[in-house]
Amino acid sequence: MKGAEKEALVHECLVANYEKYYRIAYSYVFQEQDAMDIVQEGAYRAILKSDSLKNPAYVDTWICRIMMNEAVRFLEKYRGRTAPMEEVPEEGREDGIEDLDLQQALLKLNEEERRIVVLRYFEEEKLETIAAAMGLKVNTVKSRLYRAVEKLKTYMEPQESKRAEAGL
């Protein structure tokens, strides 16, 4: 496959799966505009590096990996940034308590665990696809997914049940 054909394939995949890539980015930053910036930068990188796509059958997996790497790059670059109070709107959209708890719990997972959980449960990817995207064996993905879900369960337990277990 020639470079121009690969670029066209990447572009087609980006257009067809834009919402999926946005959801992946959003699961890292939980901000609409930041997620759109990540997808835009990830799309640029994917098109720019389309020649390095080895197997066209895995173009979607390859782009997912680029989006996740771009999200990590974004977080490293902007970690700890704050907005001036004048820029924060007085009325924001309401998030459900469950959504906030899940977001906070996801942030407590390490990078690899978060990637696996996002791909499996938010993007409903098959374990084989996740393994290929991350360069891992399927059994490794299974065990890490299990551990990540167990961690999420503990992170999301109500504080009252934690106190009761501690005998307080």
Side-chain angles (χ1 to χ4, degrees):
M1 185 174 249
K2 295 181 180 178
E5 292 171 332
K6 286 182 180 179
E7 185 175 327
L9 179 64
V10 168
H11 185 269
E12 183 182 313
C13 190
L14 284 165
V15 170
N17 297 304
Y18 174 83
E19 290 179 16
K20 174 182 179 177
Y21 305 136
Y22 171 80
R23 287 191 308 269
I24 288 171
Y26 188 85
S27 72
Y28 280 81
V29 294
F30 303 112
Q31 296 290 324
E32 234 177 271
Q33 191 61 47
D34 291 342
M36 288 190 296
D37 290 346
I38 290 168
V39 172
Q40 183 177 2
E41 186 62 31
Y44 171 73
R45 286 183 191 269
I47 290 171
L48 193 64
K49 298 191 180 278
S50 59
D51 282 343
S52 67
L53 175 63
K54 291 180 177 114
N55 187 345
Y58 294 111
V59 65
D60 181 50
T61 303
W62 182 75
I63 294 173
C64 281
R65 192 172 195 155
I66 290 172
M67 292 298 170
M68 289 185 286
N69 289 339
E70 192 57 40
V72 169
R73 219 178 273 116
F74 180 90
L75 288 173
E76 288 171 353
K77 183 176 180 182
Y78 294 107
R79 185 160 276 145
R81 88 178 165 168
T82 56
M85 285 305 291
E86 299 81 40
E87 293 180 21
V88 177
E90 287 183 30
E91 292 181 27
R93 79 179 164 85
E94 263 185 57
D95 284 330
I97 294 297
E98 298 82 20
D99 292 344
L100 292 174
D101 289 345
L102 179 59
Q103 288 175 5
Q104 290 173 350
L106 278 171
L107 290 173
K108 291 179 182 177
L109 295 176
N110 70 41
E111 178 59 37
E112 185 177 74
E113 292 168 335
R114 189 176 328 132
R115 280 185 183 193
I116 292 172
V117 168
V118 166
L119 288 173
R120 181 70 179 127
Y121 295 113
F122 291 82
E123 297 308 319
E124 299 176 356
E125 293 289 350
K126 294 180 180 176
L127 294 172
E128 294 79 14
T129 306
I130 298 169
M134 298 184 70
L136 300 170
K137 294 180 181 179
V138 175
N139 285 336
T140 303
V141 171
K142 285 180 186 178
S143 64
R144 292 182 183 171
L145 177 63
Y146 175 79
R147 279 189 238 127
V149 169
E150 290 302 308
K151 284 182 181 179
L152 284 174
K153 286 178 185 176
T154 33
Y155 295 152
M156 293 185 67
E157 281 181 359
Q159 291 299 324
E160 292 80 28
S161 66
K162 287 182 183 176
R163 286 191 200 117
E165 288 175 4
L168 300 175

